[in-house]
């Protein structure tokens, strides 16, 4: 259905998508929430309601819709199989994607969104608005419908939960310059593809973390690991499996970080990898194979699903 909220209102779509995505960690849900917010604005206009501040109206609608969504999504998260990672926002040179995706806030890396999972819906809303988008407490209070003093308390509590050791609660690492990130990612993928363990070790931080998300529906690229040698062995084995299945990686930017998308021989999406880089080394690696989280990128490959079914048969059980 065509939404007629007014041409000027659509200039806020990148901001609204980023807020909704920061709240949900889901591209599809974020798009639905933004669409619902515009539908609400259209209904208000048709009813003769004067909306004095369209940006504030839409931001409030998106945030409150996000809070409601998180309340219903929490049960699904609690029963999720394996590690949970957000749906990736991917931009490439040959497939840039929607403008709101390309302009996604750099702070919304996968690692940061995983940290936000421990917050309640209201805590997450206050924290995202204040920490990521820099809204003042009076504005945050108006958006979430609470007092300014209460929002200050909520933010302080959320910040402590996200960063209990007192370190910055912002992004796990700031986005690197595009050229620097692209070069380090190129070296990483070349080393992983060739099985060069020494080269890989030289690219990883001593406290590197790896997370893989197959959602119980596809063979995960690997299991969680936090030791360089374990991560390296997992990567080499994972890339060997990718080659065996006839897939290959193409460079991409994932949630504002360097990474790559693996495509099978038919050009279907098989997995997405994001690299979190700081101080010239890779501090975190996130790999997604869950088909439900890749569908927004295009046709999804079945090679991971087939491999997962075979693995289940060999072990005689589920995920």
């Amino acid at each position: 259905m065509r939404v007629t909220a007014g041409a000027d209102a659509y200039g806020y779509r990148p901001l609204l998508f980023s807020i909704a995505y920061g709240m949900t960690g889901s591209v599809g849900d974020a798009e639905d929430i933004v669409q619902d917010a515009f539908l609400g604005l259209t209904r208000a206009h048709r009813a003769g309601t004067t909306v004095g501040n369209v940006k504030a109206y839409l931001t409030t609608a998106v945030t409150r819709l996000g809070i409601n969504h998180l309340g219903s999504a929490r049960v699904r998260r609690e029963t999720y199989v394996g590690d949970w990672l957000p749906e990736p926002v991917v931009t490439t040179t040959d497939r840039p994607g929607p403008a709101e995706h390309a302009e996604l806030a750099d702070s919304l890396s996968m690692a940061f969104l995983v940290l936000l999972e421990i917050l309640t819906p209201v805590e997450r809303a206050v924290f995202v608005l204040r920490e990521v988008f820099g809204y003042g407490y009076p504005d945050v209070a108006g958006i979430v419908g609470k007092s300014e003093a209460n929002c200050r308390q909520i933010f302080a509590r959320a910040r402590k939960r996200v960063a209990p050791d007192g370190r910055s609660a912002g992004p796990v690492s700031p986005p690197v310059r595009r050229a620097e990130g692209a070069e380090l990612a190129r070296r990483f993928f070349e080393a992983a593809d060739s099985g060069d363990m020494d080269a890989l070790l030289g690219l990883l931080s001593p406290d590197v973390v790896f997370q893989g998300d197959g959602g119980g529906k596809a063979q995960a690229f690997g299991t969680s690991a936090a030791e360089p040698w374990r991560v390296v062995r997992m990567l080499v084995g994972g890339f060997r499996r990718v080659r065996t299945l006839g897939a290959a990686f193409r460079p991409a930017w994932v949630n504002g970080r360097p990474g790559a998308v693996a495509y099978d021989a038919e050009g279907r999406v098989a997995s997405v990898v994001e690299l979190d880089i700081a101080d010239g080394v890779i501090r975190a690696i996130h790999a997604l194979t869950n088909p439900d989280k890749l569908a927004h990128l295009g046709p999804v490959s079945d090679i991971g699903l087939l491999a997962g079914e075979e693995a289940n048969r060999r072990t005689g059980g589920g995920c």
Side-chain angles (χ1 to χ4, degrees):
M1 180 172 65
R2 175 76 173 170
V3 183
T4 56
D8 292 343
Y10 285 96
Y12 301 122
R13 183 178 283 273
L15 170 65
L16 300 173
F17 175 84
S18 291
I19 292 173
Y21 179 71
M23 288 288 294
T24 65
S26 166
V27 173
D29 290 336
E31 291 173 339
D32 289 343
I33 285 172
V34 172
Q35 181 76 353
D36 286 346
F38 277 115
L39 282 170
L41 179 61
T42 296
R43 293 191 189 102
H45 284 165
R46 289 175 177 172
T49 302
T50 300
V51 179
N53 188 327
V54 173
K55 180 181 179 181
Y57 177 96
L58 290 170
T59 301
T60 301
V62 162
T63 302
R64 295 185 180 182
L65 287 167
I67 290 173
N68 293 337
H69 171 84
L70 286 178
S72 62
R74 186 165 293 276
V75 174
R76 296 197 300 272
R77 297 283 172 85
E78 291 174 350
T79 59
Y80 195 81
V81 178
D83 284 351
W84 179 92
L85 291 173
E87 290 183 8
V89 175
V90 176
T91 56
T92 63
T93 55
D94 58 342
R95 189 177 182 274
E100 60 265 35
H101 295 188
E103 296 178 29
L104 182 74
D106 286 332
S107 296
L108 299 177
S109 68
M110 286 193 176
F112 185 61
L113 290 171
V114 169
L115 286 177
L116 298 187
E117 284 295 295
I118 66 173
L119 302 179
T120 67
V122 173
E123 285 177 339
R124 185 161 180 163
V126 171
F127 191 77
V128 166
L129 290 171
R130 176 68 179 161
E131 182 80 4
V132 179
F133 298 99
Y135 277 82
Y137 284 111
D139 292 329
V140 174
I143 291 171
V144 301
K146 296 186 179 295
S147 70
E148 183 177 339
N150 196 1
C151 286
R152 289 180 182 275
Q153 294 173 347
I154 292 171
F155 178 77
R157 183 170 64 243
R159 192 182 189 114
K160 186 175 181 179
R161 294 186 67 192
V162 171
D165 57 3
R167 292 182 300 176
S168 171
V172 170
S173 64
V176 296
R177 293 192 300 273
R178 197 170 184 88
E180 176 188 352
E183 173 58 21
L184 199 151
R186 181 191 65 78
R187 291 163 56 198
F188 168 84
F189 285 103
E190 284 185 358
D193 189 55
S194 65
D196 190 337
M197 293 187 175
D198 289 335
L200 279 173
L201 279 173
L203 297 173
L204 303 182
S205 166
D207 58 353
V208 66
V209 174
F210 178 93
Q211 285 184 291
D213 178 354
K217 299 184 178 182
Q219 187 173 21
F221 198 83
T223 57
S224 294
E227 298 176 2
W229 268 110
R230 288 185 60 202
V231 171
V232 165
R233 287 196 294 268
M234 190 185 313
L235 287 170
V236 171
F239 273 73
R240 184 183 301 117
R241 185 168 70 246
V242 168
R243 291 195 305 274
T244 300
L245 294 173
F249 282 97
R250 300 178 195 169
W253 286 82
V254 183
N255 288 53
R257 267 65 178 170
V261 179
Y263 296 90
D264 67 12
E266 298 179 23
R268 299 173 299 179
V269 179
S271 66
V272 171
V273 175
E274 181 219 46
L275 306 178
D276 211 333
I277 298 172
D279 302 322
V281 292
I282 298 169
R283 297 185 58 184
I285 303 165
H286 303 99
L288 272 152
T289 56
N290 184 344
D292 294 342
K293 297 183 179 182
L294 302 176
H296 64 286
L297 302 176
V300 179
S301 176
D302 59 3
I303 58 175
L305 295 176
L306 294 174
E309 290 167 3
E310 291 168 1
N312 285 341
R313 284 197 294 270
R314 286 196 299 270
T315 58
C319 301

